[in-house]
């Protein structure tokens, strides 16, 4: 009996008193496989947030939002086209209006045409914050185009870059397209309505890089110097997305690389901030081509300037502009 008692006695191993449990190489593992089976080390106690409640509790959700990172990423789904856009730099105290201003550039949908929804809620009000609507980091917000006056059909045609569809949707003065509202317009109101629709189509097509549609719209009177409600021109969104063909077309129609939006950004400053070096050089080159009054890329002066810009020369001149 004494021998058995001695055999069951474990040897003490030197170590720090009160420390974490360590595996004993002389002891069998919990599965009976012998030495080497590690005894799990107990995990340190995790601090619990004060006031934390069960899953699904509104207080728990609210607290989770408060504890979340100050800056997070969200996705926005343009329901009518199926496109998904990634919006960085979101905050819980960000207003819906601020989000719309970002989407004006990121999604290429003018501010006034945006209708935002989250989960099964109604339309998100501009003055409300994302926290008020319980928007969580990584959540998906639905973006829809206002359906009144045929705006959805117009935006989708511009997204596709389909000039034949655009020609039937009231983007030129010789169009026969009518809506419930426009059929009652007088001549002045009619021209203003056409101009607004042509601009909106140009804005969206420029963002998507639909150069054929952009050329069609410019040839039929679309104003590339027009502004969205946040002060952006179609050149702003073409530059932000680095759409070189659309940039060239608009510069040929006297679009300016120095027009400022409500945040003070120009098309040139946008490409610098977004690090689109090729677009920056391209815009710089075409700016001077237009300023010198030549559109011939084979012109010796233009060709020489292009080679210098392509090689990275002229950064000082770019900064001066």
């Amino acid at each position: 009996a004494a021998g058995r008692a001695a055999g069951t006695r474990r040897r003490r191993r030197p170590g720090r008193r009160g420390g974490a449990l360590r595996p004993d190489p002389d002891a069998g593992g919990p599965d009976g496989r012998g030495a080497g089976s590690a005894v799990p080390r107990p995990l340190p106690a995790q601090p619990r947030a004060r006031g934390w409640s069960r899953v699904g509790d509104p207080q728990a959700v609210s607290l989770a939002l408060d504890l979340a990172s100050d800056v997070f990423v969200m996705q926005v789904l343009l329901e009518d086209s199926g496109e998904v856009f990634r919006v960085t730099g979101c905050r819980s105290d960000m207003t819906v209006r601020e989000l719309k201003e970002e989407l004006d550039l990121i999604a290429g949908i003018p501010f006034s045409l945006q209708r935002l929804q989250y989960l099964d809620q109604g339309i998100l009000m501009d003055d409300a914050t994302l926290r008020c609507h319980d928007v969580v980091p990584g959540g998906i917000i639905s973006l829809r185009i206002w359906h009144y006056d045929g705006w959805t059909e117009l935006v989708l045609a511009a997204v596709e870059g389909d000039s034949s569809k655009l020609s039937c949707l009231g983007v030129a003065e010789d169009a026969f397209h009518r809506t419930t509202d426009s059929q009652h317009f007088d001549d002045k109101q009619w021209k203003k309505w056409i101009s607004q629709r042509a601009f909106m189509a140009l804005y969206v097509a420029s963002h998507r890089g639909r150069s054929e549609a952009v050329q069609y719209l410019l040839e039929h009177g679309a104003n590339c110097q027009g502004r969205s409600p946040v002060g952006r021109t179609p050149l702003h969104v073409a530059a932000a997305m680095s759409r070189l063909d659309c940039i060239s077309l608009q510069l040929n129609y006297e679009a300016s690389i120095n027009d400022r939006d409500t945040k003070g950004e120009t098309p040139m400053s946008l490409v610098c901030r977004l690090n689109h070096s090729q677009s920056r050089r391209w815009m710089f080159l075409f700016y001077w081509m237009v300023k010198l009054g030549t559109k011939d890329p084979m012109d010796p002066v233009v060709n020489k300037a292009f080679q210098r810009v392509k090689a990275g020369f002229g950064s000082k001149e770019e900064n001066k502009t």
Side-chain angles (χ1 to χ4, degrees), residues 72-75 118 135-141:
F72 54 89
V73 177
M74 282 176 30
Q75 295 186 71
Y118 183 65
V135 177
V136 298
I140 300 178
I141 286 185

Side-chain angles (χ1 to χ4, degrees), residues 8 10 34 62 67 72 89 91 117 123 129 137 147 153 155 166 172-173 197 203 218 220 228 261 275 299 316:
T8 58
R10 289 186 179 181
S62 178
L67 296 178
F72 54 89
R91 310 177 314 277
Q117 291 178 282
I123 299 171
T129 63
H147 290 287
E153 293 79 6
V155 169
L166 289 172
E173 292 187 9
R197 292 175 69 82
Y203 199 89
L218 290 171
H220 286 78
S228 76
D261 61 15
N275 199 27
D299 185 291
K316 293 182 179 179

Side-chain angles (χ1 to χ4, degrees), residues 74-255:
M74 282 176 30
Q75 295 186 71
V76 175
L77 170 64
L78 180 53
E79 297 282 356
D80 299 296
S81 68
E83 298 167 294
V84 178
F85 302 94
R86 187 170 180 268
V87 186
T88 60
C90 298
R91 310 177 314 277
S92 294
D93 62 348
M94 184 181 200
T95 64
V96 174
R97 180 182 178 86
E98 290 175 326
L99 177 58
K100 284 184 174 181
E101 290 176 355
E102 291 295 315
L103 290 173
D104 187 286
L105 188 65
I106 295 173
I109 304 298
F111 180 96
S112 56
L113 296 183
Q114 297 178 29
R115 182 163 57 98
L116 300 183
Q117 291 178 282
Y118 183 65
L119 301 178
D120 57 349
Q121 299 181 16
I123 299 171
L124 306 187
M125 297 295 100
D126 288 355
D127 294 334
T129 63
L130 299 184
R131 181 186 289 111
C132 289
H133 291 287
D134 295 328
V135 177
V136 298
I140 300 178
I141 286 185
S142 296
L143 167 59
R144 295 182 181 275
I145 310 301
W146 285 106
H147 290 287
Y148 73 92
D149 219 17
W151 285 113
T152 303
E153 293 79 6
L154 181 69
V155 169
L156 289 179
V159 167
E160 297 171 7
D162 194 327
S163 301
S164 60
K165 287 184 180 179
L166 289 172
S167 65
C168 301
L169 293 173
V171 294
E173 292 187 9
D174 58 354
F176 294 99
H177 181 71
R178 296 289 188 277
T179 63
T180 305
D181 293 333
S182 66
Q183 63 183 344
H184 303 293
F185 289 162
D186 58 27
D187 187 59
K188 185 177 181 180
Q189 291 174 319
W190 167 258
K191 289 182 179 179
K192 182 179 179 180
W193 183 76
I194 289 292
S195 176
Q196 185 182 22
R197 292 175 69 82
F199 168 79
M200 295 295 192
L202 179 62
Y203 199 89
V204 177
S206 297
H207 181 274
R208 301 305 194 278
R210 308 302 188 188
S211 56
E212 291 184 5
V214 167
Q215 183 171 359
Y216 169 83
L217 291 164
L218 290 171
E219 289 176 350
H220 286 78
N223 183 12
C224 61
Q225 297 177 350
R227 303 293 188 102
S228 76
V230 291
R232 296 190 181 112
T233 65
L235 188 58
H236 274 91
V237 290
M241 300 302 293
S242 195
R243 309 298 192 186
L244 299 183
D245 290 344
C246 297
I247 290 172
S248 304
L249 286 168
Q250 292 184 56
L251 290 176
N252 285 333
Y253 278 81
E254 301 182 355

Side-chain angles (χ1 to χ4, degrees), residues 12-22:
R12 293 183 177 271
R13 295 179 58 83
R16 293 180 299 176
R17 293 183 179 179
L21 295 178
R22 299 176 181 273

